[in-house]
Amino acid sequence: MKKRTVRNLLLPLAVVLFLSFTSAHKFYVSVTNVVYAEEDDAFQITSRIFIDDLNALLEERYGIKAKLATPNEAKVADEYIEKYFRAKFAMELNGKTAEYTFLGKRYDNDVVICYLEIPKVNFSGLKSVAIQNEILTDLFEEQQNVVHLKWKDQKKSFVLIKENNKGMLNL
């Protein structure tokens, strides 16, 4: 009788311990590459964001079920993604906000890749570049936005978080 009682107590405890060690930890991260294209005198920007995170954000913030990367994707998805980028992603060149063009998006497995461009940079007159990236930080407290900035043969990377959302580089 005692063996059965001990087993009945230990079995649920063992299951709870096992599940606590095998549960997946969710990482909240985006990766943005900002590359100066000398031949175009433009910054070409690609931002990689997990589709499920962006879906959750669009529903939470704008109330739309975007259903990204599905046959039932909302027709307004691109419009709201661009609207969100304009609110949460900015670049300053020589202290002035740079206007960028939202070129579109494509999907790669579980990631949406958004394409932006800042044309007519005049790199020879550039003294400083600042990048502010608050993508998904309003929904996920643990969100980290990795930004890689590449120009000519140089590279600088930043990890931006909610409390420190801006990286600056003096050229």
Side-chain angles (χ1 to χ4, degrees), residues 3-170:
K3 282 185 180 182
R4 183 174 285 183
T5 305
V6 170
R7 186 172 23 145
N8 287 342
L9 290 174
L10 286 179
L11 185 59
L13 181 61
V15 169
V16 168
L17 285 173
F18 176 75
L19 290 176
S20 69
F21 287 114
T22 59
S23 65
H25 181 262
K26 177 83 169 143
F27 290 97
Y28 297 101
V29 66
S30 76
V31 178
T32 300
N33 289 306
V34 180
V35 178
Y36 174 69
E38 201 166 350
E39 62 279 1
D40 297 327
D41 192 32
F43 277 116
Q44 297 171 341
I45 304 159
T46 57
S47 191
R48 301 174 68 86
I49 305 165
F50 286 108
I51 293 169
D52 59 340
D53 294 343
L54 192 54
N55 266 327
L57 179 281
L58 293 172
E59 185 169 359
E60 173 76 22
R61 184 164 181 138
Y62 301 112
I64 66 161
K65 292 188 184 290
K67 299 180 183 174
L68 299 174
T70 70
N72 299 326
E73 180 170 312
K75 291 183 169 114
V76 295
D78 283 7
E79 177 184 329
Y80 279 97
I81 291 170
E82 179 178 357
K83 182 177 183 175
Y84 185 69
F85 262 84
R86 297 221 180 268
K88 297 294 181 177
F89 181 86
M91 279 184 65
E92 292 177 2
L93 306 179
N94 292 337
K96 295 180 182 169
T97 301
E99 295 296 319
Y100 57 79
T101 304
F102 182 84
L103 301 174
K105 67 175 177 9
R106 75 175 178 88
Y107 301 110
D108 183 19
N109 296 319
D110 58 348
V111 171
V112 59
I113 304 170
C114 297
Y115 296 93
L116 314 168
E117 183 178 57
I118 300 173
K120 301 176 186 167
V121 169
N122 184 21
F123 195 85
S124 62
L126 202 54
K127 304 272 187 268
S128 67
V129 176
I131 300 171
Q132 182 173 344
N133 188 343
E134 298 175 295
I135 299 293
L136 298 176
T137 59
D138 50 341
L139 186 61
F140 303 114
E141 198 67 35
E142 312 84 23
Q143 178 70 30
Q144 295 183 346
N145 295 316
V146 178
V147 178
H148 302 293
L149 177 61
K150 298 176 190 171
W151 70 101
K152 302 194 180 193
D153 291 329
Q154 304 288 319
K155 182 179 177 180
K156 178 75 177 172
S157 296
F158 307 100
V159 177
L160 304 177
I161 57 174
K162 188 172 191 166
E163 297 81 23
N164 183 19
N165 61 18
K166 192 172 189 178
M168 177 132 180
L169 178 66
N170 291 315

